[in-house]
Amino acid sequence: GAGVSQSPRYKVAKRGQDVALRCDPISGHVSLFWYQQALGQGPEFLTYFQNEAQLDKSGLPSDRFFAERPEGSVSTLKIQRTQQEDSAVYLCASSPGTSLLSTDTQYFGPGTRLTVL
Amino acid sequence: KNEVEQSPQNLTAQEGEFITINCSYSVGISALHWLQQHPGGGIVSLFMLSSGKKKHGRLIATINIQEKHSSLHITASHPRDSAVYICAVLNTDKLIFGTGTRLQVFP
C-alpha cells in the first residue's frame, strides 16, 4: 500500500479483555515502531523492531503488553487483561533504515484508538 | 521535568500571521523531527534536522545544537495550518516526543 495502515481504527474493550492491534508497514521498510499516545499528550515509545527482531521493548508499560513481527512485515501489539489506563491511541510507524541510529523519516499510521470501559 | 518541552502549548493566530513554535530538549540527540498531527490522529513528518536550517514552502525549521533548542516557523499562516505540531528528538534508537503545540489559525 501507499502508507502505513493500522486496524482496527477504533476498538472498545471491556476491562479484562485481551485486544490485538495490527500494523501494516510500508512494504520493504525494515524498522517498525509502536507508540502510545494518551489524550492530550505526545506519543511515547513502546517498542522497536528491525525486521523480525524486537530490539527494544523498554517502553512497554507492563508484561501485559506484547508485540511481535514474526515475518518482518506485519506487526501485532497485544494487550492482555486490558485496564482503563490502557485507553489511548496506539500509533505504528515504519522507516526504511536498518541502523539503530537511523535518522530516516518515520512514516506514521493513522493509529488505533483503544477505549477500555 | 520532561526531556522535550514545547512552547507555547496552545496558539491562536489570524490568517497571514507569522508563527513560531519552540522546542527545548535536555538529552543527547542525533536528530530532531517536527511532526504535524491532524484531528483523528494522522501524523505527518514535516522536517528532520540535525543542524542548521531547513525550509519547505512556508515552513522553516531551525536547530541550535549547542543550546539544545529548535524552532518551527510558519510564514503567512493559513487556516489549513491548524493542527498539533510535535517536536520529537531521536535519542539512541527511539523518538522522545514533546506534548505538542495546538495551533488554530482563524480566517
Side-chain angles (χ1 to χ4, degrees), chain A residues 9 33 35 37 41-43 45 48 56 58 91 100-106 108 110, chain B residues 30-31 33 35 37 40-43 45 48 86 90 92-95 97-100:
Chain A
R9 291 294 313 278
F33 305 82
Y35 300 96
Q37 186 175 24
Q41 301 296 314
F45 171 83
Y48 159 61
D56 189 335
S58 61
L91 294 163
L100 277 176
L101 297 180
S102 170
T103 54
D104 284 337
T105 296
Q106 291 188 18
F108 285 81
Chain B
S30 53
H33 294 250
L35 309 165
Q37 185 171 32
I43 291 179
S45 179
M48 182 177 63
I86 303 173
L90 185 63
T92 59
D93 63 340
K94 58 177 70 76
L95 282 176
F97 295 78
T99 55

Side-chain angles (χ1 to χ4, degrees), chain B residues 21-97:
Chain B
I21 300 171
N22 295 299
C23 174
S24 297
Y25 53 93
S26 57
V27 295
I29 72 169
S30 53
L32 182 144
H33 294 250
W34 280 103
L35 309 165
Q36 181 191 55
Q37 185 171 32
H38 283 283
I43 291 179
V44 174
S45 179
L46 299 174
F47 293 102
M48 182 177 63
L49 63 165
S50 55
S51 66
K53 175 179 175 179
K54 285 190 176 180
K55 183 176 189 295
H56 186 258
R58 295 180 294 105
L59 303 179
I60 304 167
T62 64
I63 187 168
N64 185 317
I65 297 294
Q66 286 73 33
E67 295 185 3
K68 296 190 171 183
H69 180 270
S70 175
S71 293
L72 176 68
H73 305 285
I74 306 175
T75 61
S77 60
H78 190 277
R80 64 175 174 265
D81 297 328
S82 298
V84 175
Y85 291 83
I86 303 173
C87 168
V89 300
L90 185 63
N91 175 255
T92 59
D93 63 340
K94 58 177 70 76
L95 282 176
I96 304 173
F97 295 78

Side-chain angles (χ1 to χ4, degrees), chain A residues 57-76:
Chain A
K57 55 181 180 179
S58 61
L60 296 177
S62 79
D63 59 7
R64 297 186 294 103
F65 286 70
F66 172 76
E68 60 183 4
R69 194 186 184 199
E71 296 179 2
S73 178
V74 171
S75 178
T76 304

